[in-house]
């Protein structure tokens, strides 16, 4: 069981806005940058958001990240069918001295 | 262009030792702020972080697996090796290596480039 909690599933229709949460603690989300990775079916994870709210080159601005206290969020606006994937929050945990992944959220585009 | 590729055995018997090699290009592990990590994913399950090695040879391990893991680097060969002892069927997973950027010079982007992964099956 991960030290960071994500909802196991989320869904939306094309064009909608979807938010995926990641709940942690003071030793991880509360004190360090949050990263988000997208994993399309059958492929390796891809970096989607770094340093909590920064997008790598090539990631559409429909994807955004934020953080408040010990919770982080990934928001996708203008949902598209190709966004159907698993999404993981990732953060360094100071207490564990380790990288921790959230349990992942499977996003379904209806 | 940064690329990474995992190699090693794809089938092991219980109690055997797994040795995986990550061969990379497009960066040097002698560059300050860079590292290479290993992550695995059991079928249908979430990502699980295993270990990281940094440019200065600093190492970090998953607390739950640290007694079974060893990570090392060969900077001259652009390779990072992960050794996991006493393999069990529950260790069946796809194992990924990834480039890790902790330096402002690469925007502190974390695990930003991943290999394609290698499926390792443990079965008697």
């Amino acid at each position: 069981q991960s030290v960071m909690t994500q909802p196991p599933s989320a869904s939306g229709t094309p064009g909608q806005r979807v938010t995926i949460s990641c709940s942690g603690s003071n030793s991880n989300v509360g004190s360090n940058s949050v990263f988000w990775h997208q994993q399309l079916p059958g492929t390796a994870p891809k970096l989607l958001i770094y340093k909590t709210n920064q997008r790598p080159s090539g990631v559409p601005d429909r994807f955004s990240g934020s953080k408040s206290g010990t919770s982080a969020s990934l928001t996708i606006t203008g949902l598209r069918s190709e966004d159907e994937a698993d999404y993981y929050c990732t953060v360094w945990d100071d207490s564990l001295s380790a990288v921790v992944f959230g349990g992942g959220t499977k996003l379904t585009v209806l | 262009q940064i690329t990474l590729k995992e190699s090693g055995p794809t089938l092991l018997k219980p109690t055997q030792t797994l040795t995986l090699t990550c061969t990379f290009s497009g960066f040097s592990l002698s560059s300050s702020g860079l590292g290479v990590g290993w992550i695995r994913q059991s079928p249908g399950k979430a990502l699980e972080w295993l270990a990281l090695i940094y440019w200065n040879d600093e190492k970090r391990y998953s607390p739950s697996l640290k007694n079974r893991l060893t990570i090392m680097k060969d900077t001259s060969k652009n390779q990072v090796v992960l050794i996991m002892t006493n393999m069990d069927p529950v260790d069946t997973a796809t194992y990924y290596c990834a480039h890790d950027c902790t330096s402002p010079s690469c925007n502190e982007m974390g695990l930003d480039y991943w290999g394609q992964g290698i499926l390792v099956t443990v079965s008697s």
Side-chain angles (χ1 to χ4, degrees), chain A residues 1-7 21-34 69-72 88-104, chain B residues 46-49 62-64:
Chain A
Q1 190 162 346
S2 176
V3 299
M4 299 197 303
T5 302
Q6 296 182 236
S21 62
C22 173
S23 178
S25 67
N26 288 327
S27 65
N28 45 63
V29 176
S31 53
N32 294 304
S33 291
V34 179
T70 58
S71 290
Y88 295 90
C89 57
T90 313
V91 72
W92 179 262
D93 189 290
D94 293 331
S95 296
L96 298 174
S97 290
V99 172
V100 289
F101 287 98
Chain B
L47 300 171
E48 179 183 16
W49 178 79
S62 164
S64 61

Side-chain angles (χ1 to χ4, degrees), chain A residues 37 39 44 47 50-51 88 98 103, chain B residues 41 46 49 96 107 109 111 115:
Chain A
H37 290 86
Q39 187 176 30
L47 179 67
Y50 68 99
K51 285 201 292 188
Y88 295 90
Chain B
Q41 185 173 37
W49 178 79
Y96 297 98
N107 293 320
M109 294 176 75
L111 298 167

Side-chain angles (χ1 to χ4, degrees), chain A residues 49-71:
Chain A
I49 297 288
Y50 68 99
K51 285 201 292 188
T52 304
N53 56 17
Q54 303 297 304
R55 282 185 309 276
S57 173
V59 173
D61 59 6
R62 302 186 296 105
F63 294 89
S64 63
S66 64
K67 182 175 82 167
S68 178
T70 58
S71 290

Side-chain angles (χ1 to χ4, degrees), chain B residues 83-95:
Chain B
I83 299 171
M84 180 180 288
T85 60
N86 195 24
M87 294 292 283
D88 183 272
V90 300
D91 297 313
T92 293
T94 296
Y95 288 75

Side-chain angles (χ1 to χ4, degrees), chain B residues 95-113:
Chain B
Y95 288 75
Y96 297 98
C97 63
H99 170 270
D100 185 57
C101 161
T102 61
S103 166
S105 65
C106 53
N107 293 320
E108 299 170 274
M109 294 176 75
L111 298 167
D112 54 355
Y113 293 90

